[in-house]
Amino acid sequence: MERNYPGGPLNEVPEYTSIGSMLDTVAELYGRRVFMSEPGGRSITYSALREKVQKVARGLLELEEKPVVAVLGDNGIDWAVSFLAALRCGGVAVPVDRELPMGEVHTILHYADVNVFAFHSRFAEDVADHLGRHGDCIRQVVMSGPPGEGGMDTLPGLEQRGAASEIPLPSGTGVDQPAVISYTSGTMGRAKGVVLTQRNLLSDLRGMLQAVGLRHDEVFLSVLPMHHMYECVCGFLCPLSHGCSVVVARGLRHIAEDLASSRATLMLGVPLLWESMYRRIMDSISAQTLGGLKLRLGKTAARAGEMVGISDARRKVFGELHRRLGGRMRFLISGGAGIDPEVVEGYAELGMELLQGYGLTECSPIVAVNRDTANRLGSVGPPLPAMEVRIDAPDEEGVGEIVVRGPNVMVGYHSRPDLTAEVLSDDGWFRTGDFGRLDEDGFLWVTGRRKNVIVAKNGKNVYPEELEHALNRSRLVAESMVLGRRSEPKGEVIWAIVVPDTDRLIEIAEERGRDLDEEMAAELLRRELTAVNGAQPVYRRIARFIIRTEELPKTTTRKVRRPEVMREAGLLEPEKTYRV
C-alpha cells in the first residue's frame, strides 16, 4: 500500500516465499555465523541449523504424513529446531506455554489435533501422567537425550531417522496453508487457537525490517518465552531472517549480567520489565553520593552536546551505565501492553532508544512500531507498510476501536468459525478489541483494551492503563490494577488494587520511629492516590482502593491476569451458574 511513510524511505529487505527458502538463503549467506547460543555454552551456526532442521523435518514425515507438532520447552536450540522442522516439512507448529498446568496443555493438544508432541525432558513425567491412554495417538518426542531413551522418540533420534530418509521436503508450496496454531487460552471451551500461515509470518517479518533499520550483525538477547508470538516472530524468526545472532538469557534475575556478557545490541521486553529495570537504574543513581545532582547535570550536558551536533552525546555522558549493560545496546523494544510514556522518555534521556510497538497474536503479531528514524514517544508508531488501520466509531477525541487489515492477519480461530466471525469480516478487517486513535502524521496511539474500559456516569471512557501508569510512578507503589465497579447512581466507580513497595513503607515507618501497620500503610498510600487524583478530571478519579501484599499474578509474558486478581479480591461475579 502506497503512502507517505513517517521516518523516510523504507529499508530494503528481501522477500522470502517460504520459511524453507528463508532458511536456505540465510544459511548460504551466514553459514559460519553462530545463530543461537544457550546458557552453558552450547551454540549452533546457521549452516548447522539448516542441516539439523532438514533432518528433523524428514524424521517428522517418517512419523506422520501431515505432522501437527506441539512444542513445549525452554527457549533454546532444541525449541527452535522443533518449531522450524514442523514448518519445513509442511506441517503445523503448535507452541505451548511452558507455565501452563499439564491439564491445560492436554486440552490444547486435543483442540489442535496434535499428532506429535515435542517436549523438554523435564516435562516427561507430567506428560506420561496426564496423557495416559490418550497418548497412544500422539507421538511423543523428548527434545534431549540419546536416540530411543526410555522407549520414546527423541530429537536426536528423529535427526538420525531423517538423515537416512529419502522423503522429499516441500519445495515452498502451501505457504497459505496453516503453519502455526497459537493458543491464547487453554481452558475448556474458551480455548482460541490463532491460525497463521507462512505468508502471514513472512509478511510481518518483512514489514518490521522495512520499518526498523537492523544490521546483520545485531545480537538479540532472548528473554521472553518463544511460545509467545511476540518473541517467536520478533525475537527468533526476525534475527534468523536477517543473519543476526540470538543469545538466550538465563532468566529475568540475570538480565543485567547477561546484557553485559553477551554485549547484546537489541532486546525485546514487555512494559513491566522495562519499567522495573528503569526503576532499578534510577534507584542505583539515587543511592550514589550526590546522585540526583549528577543526573541533572548529566542531562544538561547531554542536551548541550546535542545542540552542537554531537549525535551520541547521551551515550558518552552516561557511558558508565551503558558499559554496565554491555556497551553495545542499540534498541530496546517494548510490546505486549502499553508502557508509561515517562519511562520511554527516561530511557531516551539516558541515551537508550526504546521503540514501542503494538500487535496481537492474530496479526502475526505486529501491527505498528516506532522507527529508529521516527520515534514518537507515547505512540506505538506508524502501522507496518502493508497494514491498513482505521478507527471505528471514533469519539470527539478521535478514539475508537482499532480495526486492521493486511497480509499478516490470521486465517481465523482453529475449528471456531463462530469466534472468527465475531472479529474478522469477509473482506479481511480484523477487530482488535483495543481502543486508540491515529494522529495527523499517521502514528497510532493505543489507549486501552475495550473490555477493560470504565464508563463513567457522564458517559466518558476511562482507560485503566493510563491511571495505572500514573500510580506506578509513585515510589510507594510496586504495581497496581485499576478497574470499574458498577454503581447505579454513579455509573462505574473507579477502584484500584495497589501492591505497595513494602521496603519503602518500612523505611518511612522507621524514619518515624514506628512499626509499619495496616493503618499506616493505608494512610501513606491514600496520600499517593490523592496526589494522582489531583491531576485527573473528576470523572477519572479513583474512589476506593484495596491493598494487596502479594505480587499481581501474571502470564509468562508478564501481563497481569486481571480476572484472577479480581477473583482473589472478591470482586468478580461468577460468569455462569447452574441450578442443582
Side-chain angles (χ1 to χ4, degrees):
M1 184 180 65
E2 300 241 348
R3 67 170 182 259
N4 187 15
Y5 206 71
L10 297 173
N11 304 305
E12 293 187 12
V13 293
E15 188 168 4
Y16 297 112
T17 57
S18 69
I19 297 294
S21 66
M22 180 184 83
L23 187 55
D24 288 342
T25 300
V26 295
E28 290 297 324
L29 291 172
Y30 312 106
R32 293 184 177 182
R33 181 175 296 173
V34 171
F35 166 60
M36 183 174 285
S37 304
E38 296 178 338
R42 185 184 178 207
S43 64
I44 191 168
T45 64
Y46 272 85
S47 59
L49 177 69
R50 175 178 60 173
E51 183 178 355
K52 188 180 286 284
V53 165
Q54 289 179 341
K55 289 176 181 177
V56 173
R58 287 192 175 90
L60 287 171
L61 290 174
E62 290 284 345
L63 294 183
E64 295 286 343
E65 183 179 352
K66 294 182 179 179
V68 180
V69 185
V71 185
L72 174 67
D74 299 325
N75 291 9
I77 295 168
D78 291 338
W79 195 101
V81 168
S82 301
F83 180 90
L84 289 171
L87 271 57
R88 185 65 186 90
C89 72
V92 178
V94 184
V96 181
D97 185 345
R98 62 179 181 250
E99 298 295 330
L100 282 179
M102 194 54 65
E104 291 190 25
V105 172
H106 190 185
T107 302
I108 288 176
L109 302 185
H110 166 73
Y111 274 114
D113 303 314
V114 167
N115 53 29
V116 179
F117 186 16
F119 51 88
H120 191 278
S121 59
R122 67 186 173 91
F123 296 104
E125 187 174 336
D126 283 341
V127 169
D129 289 344
H130 283 81
L131 287 188
R133 61 184 178 84
H134 300 291
D136 295 341
C137 59
I138 299 177
R139 303 297 294 263
Q140 298 175 31
V141 178
V142 181
M143 287 183 181
S144 55
E149 181 185 79
M152 290 184 183
D153 286 305
T154 66
L155 206 57
L158 274 188
E159 189 176 349
Q160 284 190 10
R161 188 180 303 195
S165 173
E166 296 182 358
I167 296 179
L169 293 175
S171 59
T173 57
V175 293
D176 291 314
Q177 298 301 310
V180 173
I181 304 177
S182 178
Y183 274 84
T184 57
S185 171
T187 56
M188 300 296 289
R190 294 187 295 112
K192 291 195 300 183
V194 177
V195 179
L196 303 173
T197 67
Q198 291 196 31
R199 193 182 303 279
N200 289 151
L201 299 172
L202 291 168
S203 66
D204 210 58
L205 284 171
R206 178 173 167 78
M208 285 187 287
L209 290 169
Q210 285 179 311
V212 181
L214 298 189
R215 302 188 305 230
H216 295 289
D217 62 349
E218 304 282 3
V219 177
F220 285 60
L221 183 67
S222 179
V223 176
L224 302 177
M226 283 184 179
H227 78 267
H228 195 280
M229 283 299 102
Y230 175 31
E231 181 70 15
C232 181
V233 175
C234 306
F236 163 43
L237 294 180
C238 177
L240 176 65
S241 73
H242 206 57
C244 307
S245 296
V246 176
V247 176
V248 177
R250 291 172 293 166
L252 293 174
R253 291 180 299 174
H254 305 286
I255 288 176
E257 297 95 322
D258 289 346
L259 279 171
S261 61
S262 67
R263 302 196 69 216
T265 62
L266 193 150
M267 181 176 128
L268 277 67
V270 292
L272 280 176
L273 189 155
W274 296 127
E275 289 164 3
S276 173
M277 185 169 158
Y278 181 71
R279 182 178 291 194
R280 288 199 299 272
I281 289 172
M282 289 296 100
D283 286 346
S284 69
I285 291 173
S286 298
Q288 298 173 14
T289 304
L290 300 177
L293 176 61
K294 291 177 182 177
L295 178 63
R296 290 191 296 273
L297 291 174
K299 290 179 179 180
T300 301
R303 283 193 294 270
E306 289 173 338
M307 290 176 65
V308 298
I310 303 175
S311 59
D312 59 348
R314 294 183 185 277
R315 292 181 69 89
K316 290 179 178 178
V317 170
F318 297 105
E320 179 56 34
L321 172 62
H322 285 265
R323 282 189 289 276
R324 290 207 307 268
L325 298 177
R328 299 179 66 230
M329 183 60 65
R330 296 184 64 229
F331 300 127
L332 312 176
I333 309 290
S334 183
I339 189 171
D340 185 349
E342 289 193 7
V343 171
V344 182
E345 186 176 1
Y347 276 113
E349 289 180 332
L350 296 173
M352 298 182 187
E353 185 90 47
L354 192 150
L355 303 178
Q356 185 180 7
Y358 163 70
L360 307 94
T361 300
E362 290 88 342
C363 295
S364 304
I366 304 302
V367 170
V369 65
N370 274 291
R371 306 185 66 191
D372 47 312
T373 54
N375 187 8
R376 185 159 293 180
L377 302 188
S379 83
V380 295
L384 295 186
M387 289 295 294
E388 297 176 77
V389 174
R390 62 179 171 84
I391 304 300
D392 193 42
D395 62 17
E396 64 274 13
E397 296 176 349
V399 175
E401 185 177 4
I402 301 168
V403 186
V404 304
R405 181 167 66 178
N408 54 328
V409 173
M410 68 171 181
V411 173
Y413 296 117
H414 180 63
S415 299
R416 294 302 303 267
D418 54 333
L419 295 179
T420 302
E422 291 177 7
V423 298
L424 193 60
S425 68
D426 291 339
D427 56 353
W429 287 99
F430 171 68
R431 308 192 73 87
T432 66
D434 290 314
F435 278 180
R437 63 181 176 86
L438 285 164
D439 66 23
E440 64 280 2
D441 297 317
F443 286 78
L444 181 62
W445 300 71
V446 180
T447 50
R449 287 292 292 167
R450 180 178 181 178
K451 65 183 179 182
N452 296 338
V453 169
I454 301 166
V455 182
K457 185 181 179 182
N458 63 359
K460 295 274 192 180
N461 287 339
V462 178
Y463 302 98
E465 295 86 350
E466 295 177 350
L467 289 174
E468 288 162 3
H469 289 327
L471 286 173
N472 294 346
R473 289 171 196 153
S474 166
R475 291 192 63 199
L476 302 190
V477 177
E479 55 182 341
S480 63
M481 191 184 100
V482 173
L483 61 144
R485 296 287 290 159
R486 174 61 58 186
S487 172
E488 289 303 325
K490 297 182 179 180
E492 283 193 282
V493 176
I494 303 174
W495 286 37
I497 296 175
V498 179
V499 179
D501 185 330
T502 307
D503 290 340
R504 180 60 182 151
L505 292 183
I506 291 173
E507 186 180 317
I508 293 173
E510 289 176 346
E511 289 172 357
R512 297 182 179 184
R514 293 177 51 183
D515 291 332
L516 180 65
D517 55 26
E518 185 176 349
E519 183 179 342
M520 183 179 181
E523 172 205 337
L524 293 170
L525 291 172
R526 186 179 294 111
R527 291 182 183 179
E528 297 298 303
L529 269 71
T530 300
V532 169
N533 279 344
Q536 309 296 329
V538 173
Y539 71 91
R540 284 180 40 152
R541 292 179 181 173
I542 298 166
R544 302 186 67 84
F545 70 98
I546 296 170
I547 299 175
R548 178 186 170 104
T549 55
E550 297 177 346
E551 179 183 348
L552 298 176
K554 301 177 184 70
T555 66
T556 48
T557 52
R558 306 299 290 166
K559 285 185 180 178
V560 173
R561 297 183 183 271
R562 298 179 73 90
E564 188 174 330
V565 176
M566 293 172 68
R567 187 179 299 111
E568 291 178 358
L571 302 177
L572 188 66
E573 298 294 331
E575 294 180 8
K576 200 170 186 179
T577 60
Y578 300 89
R579 186 180 298 278
V580 177

